[in-house]
Amino acid sequence: MSTISLRLPESLHRKVRDLAKAEDVSINQLITTALAEKMSALMTVDYLQARAARGDRALFERAMGKVRDVEPDEDDA
């Protein structure tokens, strides 16, 4: 485990302290979880952009051409 020193504006520190107390977790746990959530969101964007770059319109059209042309079930409309 690593340790970092983090300077926060007093107003942000007050808010994170209040949120941590309301969630019944430590400030450290709240910040760690928030950081992990943010990293996950950013990494998901990168992953989706990489997947989109590998997309092939011709393969997509070929796959869509195999879908039957029927009306959806009433529950799916």
Side-chain angles (χ1 to χ4, degrees), residues 1-43:
M1 186 138 335
S2 298
T3 302
I4 64 170
S5 178
L6 180 65
R7 296 188 192 287
L8 296 174
E10 184 58 37
S11 60
L12 186 57
H13 186 234
R14 207 172 22 254
K15 264 296 188 206
V16 77
R17 185 177 51 235
D18 293 345
L19 286 170
K21 185 176 181 182
E23 293 294 316
D24 197 29
V25 297
S26 67
I27 292 174
N28 186 67
Q29 182 62 43
L30 185 73
I31 292 173
T32 300
T33 301
L35 177 60
E37 289 176 5
K38 180 63 175 184
M39 288 174 61
S40 176
L42 293 172
M43 291 166 61

Side-chain angles (χ1 to χ4, degrees), residues 68 70-77:
R68 294 184 307 150
V70 295
E71 290 294 319
D73 291 339
E74 186 176 311
D75 292 338
D76 293 335

